[in-house]
Amino acid sequence: MSTDPTIVFLHGLGETRQAWASVIQQLPEFTSCCVDVLDAGRHSGGWSLDEASDQIVETLAGQVHLVGLSLGAVIALNIAVRHPEKVTSLLVSAPQYKPPRTLMRLQSLVMRILPERLVCPPETSKPEVLAVLKAVTDLDLSAGLASIGVPTRVVCGSKDKANLPAARATARLIPHACLDIIAGAGHQWHQTHPELFAATLKTHLAN
């Protein structure tokens, strides 16, 4: 697989582009950039997954390697389904293609109860975060995943119990996808284990 295309990093809900800084530091030989996924999908009625995906694609000069975690993984999968011509490869961590309603209700409840400073990244309000959760509550990418034809690696921390079932199912639904369960890692292992995340990405790009 060519490493010439840019690596585009898509962060999770409650994070900013800075969440990828430590991973990118481990990848000086690659051209990369980070996208603010909340800005991309904002509109007057809330937030839209398809609009976020389409707006991100509009900023891409050519084909890219997409790397996403959590919400970023959902967006990466959606881009690969909607705009396959733009994607060279995918690495998605803790993806959800059809989120369990119980999990979404729990996340929304936590967001409503906790102080804004604890659950929202800088310059993002609680209503904006809740709008994203509402937008993905009825998400179902099941049918589209079978159309993804680029090299795909699905990863998930072994301690990320809430997302392990979806990660395994995502890898089954995407033709020829690889699945890596990262021993001892949690949901945000790109921040707690940046060297390991970078090494996993390098392995993916080298295959």
Side-chain angles (χ1 to χ4, degrees):
M1 183 190 313
S2 170
T3 57
D4 290 335
T6 297
I7 303 171
V8 175
F9 290 93
L10 306 174
H11 62 79
L13 187 63
E15 297 180 333
T16 67
R17 291 178 293 179
Q18 191 61 27
W20 293 109
S22 295
V23 172
I24 292 173
Q25 287 177 2
Q26 310 297 320
L27 303 166
E29 68 271 40
F30 296 96
T31 301
S32 62
C33 68
C34 302
V35 174
D36 188 323
V37 301
L38 296 185
D39 275 349
R42 282 191 180 108
H43 59 78
S44 59
W47 188 88
S48 164
L49 174 62
D50 286 345
E51 287 185 23
S53 302
D54 295 347
Q55 288 179 28
I56 289 169
V57 165
E58 289 175 4
T59 69
L60 306 178
Q63 286 191 322
V64 299
H65 299 292
L66 282 179
V67 178
L69 181 135
S70 197
L71 176 62
V74 172
I75 295 172
L77 291 173
N78 199 47
I79 290 175
V81 171
R82 291 173 66 84
H83 304 281
E85 75 285 354
K86 286 292 189 177
V87 183
T88 297
S89 79
L90 285 172
L91 187 149
V92 289
S93 183
Q96 289 283 346
Y97 65 91
K98 188 178 180 180
R101 289 187 174 272
T102 301
L103 177 63
M104 298 308 297
R105 284 197 295 267
L106 179 60
Q107 282 188 299
S108 295
L109 179 62
V110 170
M111 288 288 180
R112 292 179 188 279
I113 293 174
L114 292 178
E116 189 168 272
R117 60 183 174 79
L118 296 180
V119 296
C120 298
E123 300 180 8
T124 303
S125 69
K126 188 180 290 189
E128 289 175 315
V129 172
L130 289 169
V132 174
L133 290 174
K134 180 180 179 181
V136 300
T137 294
D138 297 322
L139 174 72
D140 189 350
L141 298 177
S142 308
L145 295 185
S147 70
I148 295 177
V150 298
T152 301
R153 185 174 299 266
V154 181
V155 293
C156 192
S158 65
K159 294 182 178 180
D160 189 3
K161 304 300 184 183
N163 291 293
L164 277 171
R168 292 190 174 102
T170 300
R172 288 195 300 268
L173 290 169
I174 298 175
H176 311 298
C178 298
L179 174 66
D180 288 340
I181 305 301
I182 311 301
H187 183 61
Q188 293 178 304
W189 68 290
H190 61 318
Q191 295 191 55
T192 59
H193 299 73
E195 296 88 355
L196 181 55
F197 195 104
T200 302
L201 177 54
K202 287 180 181 180
T203 298
H204 167 67
L205 296 175
N207 292 333

